[in-house]
Every structure is written in C-alpha cells, then in structure tokens.
Amino acid sequence: MGDQPGITRDRLHGAAEYRGRRFELIDTGGIVVDDAEYIPSQILKQARMALERAAHIVFLVDGRSEITAPDRDLARMLLRLGKPVSLAVNKADTGARESLAHDFYSLGIGDIFPVSAEHGIGVDALLEHVTAGFAETPEEERREDIKVAIIGRPNVGKSTLLNVLTGQDRVIVSPIAGTTRDSVDETIVRDGVSYTFVDTAGIRRKGKTKQMAEKLSVVMARRNIRMADVALVLLDASEGVLALDATIAGYAHEGGRGLIVCVNKWDLISEGKKTTFERDLRDHLKFLEYAPVLFLSAKTGVGVTRIFKSIREAYESATKRISTGELNRFVESLHFEERRIYYITQASVRPPTFVLFTNRTGPLHFSHVRYLTNQIRKRFGFIGTPIELKTKTKKD
Ligand code: GDP
C-alpha cells in the first residue's frame, strides 16, 4: 500500500537490545555518494553524523541487484572510516542467491551476512556479530519503557507532533522509490523515563488519495494501539470531532490502553470558541469521559511538554495494581445496596479489571457499573485508562 515513491523519508533511530546488550540503532536512509541531484545535502549531513557516532556500520544491499558503481563508492567511503563494517545482503531468501552473495566480496567488506529482512532470516547471525563487543546492560539499568501510539485522522498533525515530541525535525521528503520501511519505533528518554513511539514510519506514511489515507489511518490506529501502553488520540481543533475521529477513538477505548485526547491546532481557535470546545468534545466522545483532554499546538509547541506527564499518569494508571485488602476496605466503605458485594479483587491490568463476587446473578445495570467504576477511580486515582468491572456470583 505504501510502497510508492514520495514516501516521507527520514533518519530514524531507536533503542534496541540483543541478548541483554543495549544499543542505539540509527537508520541513515539511502546514501549515494556525491549525488547532489537526488539526495538533499541534509540527508548526507545527517548520515555523516550517524556514521561518526557509530560503533559498527551495517551496509545493507539488495541481493537481487547487481553491484553498482555507487555501491562501490559507498563501500570505499565506509571502509575509510576505520570502523568495523558488515555487509548485509538483503533478500537472500533463495539458495540460488547465496552464490550471488559471493560477488559482493568484491566490495572489499569481509564480514558478509545474507539476510532476509522480510522473513527475519540471517538476522540473528548479523546481530550476534555486530553486538559481540558491546557491553551487557546490568539488569537494574534496564529501565521501564512506555510505548506510545499517536493515532488520528490524516492531517490532524500526527507527524508534526511526533517531530516535536522526539525533539528533532528530521523529516525529509525524497522523490526516490524504495524508501518505505516496515514498523520502526523511536525512543527518547526524558527525566529518566523512556518513551517509545511505535511505528513512526507508519505515522509519517501518507495515503495517496483522501480515501486511502483515511483507511490507512484506521488500520494503523488499530495495529498501533495493540503495540502501545498509551494512545494519544489526536484531533484537529479547527475541524472539531468528526465521525472518523470517533471511530478511531472507539478503537482506542476498546483496546483498553491508557488514553489521552490531544486537541491539536489550538492556535487556530479564537478565545471565544475555546470554552465551548471541551463541552462539545465530551458530548461527542462520551465513552472517553475518563480520558484527560490536552489542548496544544504541535506547530507552535504550546502545550506539548505536558503530554509527557499525562503519558506517565495514564501508563501508571493502566498498569496499577490494587491489593485485595485495600479493595475490600474500600468496598466496606461504600453504600452499595443493589446487591451484596462479598469481596472484590483486581484480576488484571491494561485495562485494570476488577471482579466483584456478589450474592446475585446477572449483570449489573450500567448505572451501577458507572457508579462503582467512578468510585474506584476516585479512591485509587485511575486517570486516563478505562476500567472493567465483572461480577461473579458466590454461593455462600
Ligand atoms: P498527519 O497526517 O496527522 O501526520 O498530519 P501532519 O503532521 O502532516 O500535519 C498536517 C498539516 O497540519 C500540516 O500542514 C501541518 O503543518 C499542520 N499542522 C500540524 N500541527 C499544527 C498545529 O498545531 N497548528 C497548525 N496551525 N497547523 C498544524
């Protein structure tokens, strides 16, 4: 679907770990030495920075293509850097290609690894080789990582927000084909907490037509919610809440993850309209009453930093466990008369799910569910996460 030219192109990096060895992975995008015509100088500049910082360089070539002059130029350039260089020959999925890998020895890089990025073949050997000299990260230093999905309709500002949150403006659009990537995550560390934005390549991927872009936004939302701890549902303040926003928000709600509504492009809204906006929004997205709403402008940066605190709160809430003792003291303090609650326990997290053991069969009326979940929220401070309540009958 996204395999056409004109795809957003960028330098991506993320935290990676292999066998307890943590390292940072930087993807430079394509490099063609001395090709000022097609490759904006910015790409080269960024690639050079990445190469300077790197402890190991992996040169990835397409095993189904002949070696080209630019490949040779690049190989020479990389070898001159005096750092370990490995050659990964991609798409080497059939045995016949192994012989082709032979030709690649002429590039002068001794460590050659046939891989299939698509099928994951050969990747272990490559990683083992690349990370062999890296230090193992001590257990206590492996920090908690909050996975965040940015979801929303096309043009609400997802990629703009991602750029601000990751603190780097590194989106470069290139007319060259073959720059699509599968899911790529980007990690940043802020105040000792690490945040991984999932599928950032997808966030920047744009559909060709409006219809395609909209479909893509829903597909991505559904997939990325599953990969995330917290979803940022982005809206465009200048357009209000549209049906597609509600659909996407609905998936986020059903996904049971932490959830924050971010009203972007707040800079376009006049003072007078601001007061009614949240009321209208709550009206349109009634099922998200637990979600904090942040008003911000990804473009000017106003209101953006608060997102991190909200993400942490939502994450802590979505993964919080309340002991059965605490829960039962809480139940005793309630004046709940619809049925007798013998006891209550928390069965799971993400979303926090509570099981009530009561003296009556049949589901609770939704107004009672609402009352109880609201009480739980208030008492234990669950912010920005859905809560589930289940009832079970206990004989004695
Ligand atoms: P995406 O499709 O959701 O990734 O949206 P983009 O990040 O590509 O943004 C779509 C358009 O909205 C671009 O022209 C952005 O410059 C613009 N935009 C993004 N955030 C803001 C904002 O906070 N205020 C204003 N006025 N424009 C914005």
Side-chain angles (χ1 to χ4, degrees), residues 13 17 24 33 38 67 81 84 99 113 154 168 203 207 210 221 227 229 232 245 254 274 377 387 389 392:
H13 63 159
E17 190 179 306
E24 193 187 344
V33 179
Y38 289 109
I67 300 171
L81 294 170
S99 61
F113 297 86
Q168 275 173 67
I203 292 171
K210 182 167 186 255
M227 297 195 291
D229 300 305
L232 304 181
D245 294 315
E254 283 162 25
K274 286 186 176 173
R377 274 185 197 292
I387 285 182
L389 266 194
K392 282 196 175 159

Side-chain angles (χ1 to χ4, degrees), residues 67-210:
I67 300 171
T68 62
D71 287 336
R72 292 187 197 288
D73 290 344
L74 184 52
R76 261 196 300 275
M77 190 264 263
L78 294 178
L79 288 167
R80 271 202 305 268
L81 294 170
K83 296 187 177 190
V85 181
S86 299
L87 182 69
V89 182
N90 195 22
K91 303 182 187 171
D93 6 40
T94 57
R97 298 288 153 204
E98 294 243 333
S99 61
L100 223 161
H102 231 79
D103 298 346
F104 287 95
Y105 276 105
S106 69
L107 285 175
I109 299 171
D111 296 311
I112 299 193
F113 297 86
V115 298
S116 162
E118 195 181 2
H119 300 109
I121 299 165
V123 177
D124 260 312
L126 174 67
L127 279 173
E128 187 57 58
H129 174 75
V130 168
T131 62
F134 296 178
E136 274 197 32
T137 318
E139 197 71 52
E140 61 276 11
E141 274 176 35
R142 295 183 199 167
R143 81 187 132 230
E144 190 139 52
D145 179 52
I146 307 180
K147 297 214 161 32
V148 184
I150 301 177
I151 57 174
R153 289 190 286 116
N155 290 319
V156 293
K158 295 181 295 296
S159 21
T160 309
L161 181 64
L162 176 70
N163 288 342
V164 194
L165 290 175
T166 53
Q168 275 173 67
D169 186 14
R170 57 172 115 82
V171 182
I172 302 160
V173 179
S174 139
I176 296 167
T179 52
T180 350
R181 308 180 156 78
D182 283 344
S183 176
V184 177
D185 297 344
E186 275 182 80
T187 301
I188 60 151
V189 177
R190 217 189 142 91
D191 300 328
V193 181
S194 117
Y195 303 84
T196 293
F197 296 92
V198 299
D199 192 12
T200 59
I203 292 171
R204 290 168 176 140
R205 190 172 300 149
K206 315 282 180 192
K208 244 186 183 171
T209 61
K210 182 167 186 255

Side-chain angles (χ1 to χ4, degrees), residues 113-336:
F113 297 86
V115 298
S116 162
E118 195 181 2
H119 300 109
I121 299 165
V123 177
D124 260 312
L126 174 67
L127 279 173
E128 187 57 58
H129 174 75
V130 168
T131 62
F134 296 178
E136 274 197 32
T137 318
E139 197 71 52
E140 61 276 11
E141 274 176 35
R142 295 183 199 167
R143 81 187 132 230
E144 190 139 52
D145 179 52
I146 307 180
K147 297 214 161 32
V148 184
I150 301 177
I151 57 174
R153 289 190 286 116
N155 290 319
V156 293
K158 295 181 295 296
S159 21
T160 309
L161 181 64
L162 176 70
N163 288 342
V164 194
L165 290 175
T166 53
Q168 275 173 67
D169 186 14
R170 57 172 115 82
V171 182
I172 302 160
V173 179
S174 139
I176 296 167
T179 52
T180 350
R181 308 180 156 78
D182 283 344
S183 176
V184 177
D185 297 344
E186 275 182 80
T187 301
I188 60 151
V189 177
R190 217 189 142 91
D191 300 328
V193 181
S194 117
Y195 303 84
T196 293
F197 296 92
V198 299
D199 192 12
T200 59
I203 292 171
R204 290 168 176 140
R205 190 172 300 149
K206 315 282 180 192
K208 244 186 183 171
T209 61
K210 182 167 186 255
Q211 210 186 5
M212 198 215 233
E214 293 193 339
K215 251 193 208 147
L216 195 61
S217 74
V218 175
V219 171
M220 293 222 333
R222 297 188 69 173
R223 190 180 69 184
N224 294 355
I225 287 160
R226 280 200 303 272
M227 297 195 291
D229 300 305
V230 177
L232 304 181
V233 179
L234 212 57
L235 305 176
D236 179 337
S238 66
E239 299 198 297
V241 183
L242 307 190
L244 190 56
D245 294 315
T247 304
I248 290 174
Y251 284 126
H253 171 67
E254 283 162 25
R257 306 312 208 234
L259 209 157
I260 298 158
V261 177
C262 296
V263 183
N264 189 32
K265 307 197 188 179
W266 200 232
D267 56 298
L268 298 177
I269 303 301
S270 62
E271 280 307 319
K273 285 200 182 132
K274 286 186 176 173
T275 42
T276 52
F277 198 99
E278 180 162 5
R279 206 173 52 227
D280 287 350
L281 182 149
R282 295 279 181 199
D283 256 5
H284 279 97
L285 302 172
K286 279 209 171 68
F287 55 96
L288 292 191
E289 56 184 354
Y290 56 84
V293 178
L294 302 180
F295 299 91
L296 56 109
S297 167
K299 195 170 173 180
T300 67
V302 171
V304 168
T305 5
R306 269 185 308 162
I307 292 179
F308 290 105
K309 184 162 175 268
S310 292
I311 292 174
R312 282 198 309 276
E313 276 175 357
Y315 174 75
E316 279 158 22
S317 294
T319 53
K320 178 149 65 185
R321 282 188 188 277
I322 311 294
S323 74
T324 303
E326 269 181 281
L327 283 169
N328 286 311
R329 277 194 293 283
F330 152 76
V331 160
E332 278 162 25
S333 70
L334 282 182
H335 300 283
F336 189 72

Side-chain angles (χ1 to χ4, degrees), residues 316-379:
E316 279 158 22
S317 294
T319 53
K320 178 149 65 185
R321 282 188 188 277
I322 311 294
S323 74
T324 303
E326 269 181 281
L327 283 169
N328 286 311
R329 277 194 293 283
F330 152 76
V331 160
E332 278 162 25
S333 70
L334 282 182
H335 300 283
F336 189 72
E337 281 159 9
E338 196 266 350
R339 64 186 73 183
R340 187 153 177 229
I341 301 173
Y342 292 119
Y343 67 95
I344 174 172
T345 68
Q346 181 172 356
S348 61
V349 295
R350 233 182 50 173
T353 304
F354 299 91
V355 186
L356 300 170
F357 292 84
T358 71
N359 64 340
R360 272 175 54 184
T361 48
L364 279 167
H365 187 263
F366 82 82
S367 62
H368 291 125
V369 172
R370 214 184 135 90
Y371 168 76
L372 286 169
T373 44
N374 282 340
Q375 294 300 316
I376 292 175
R377 274 185 197 292
K378 258 201 239 156
R379 172 68 182 74

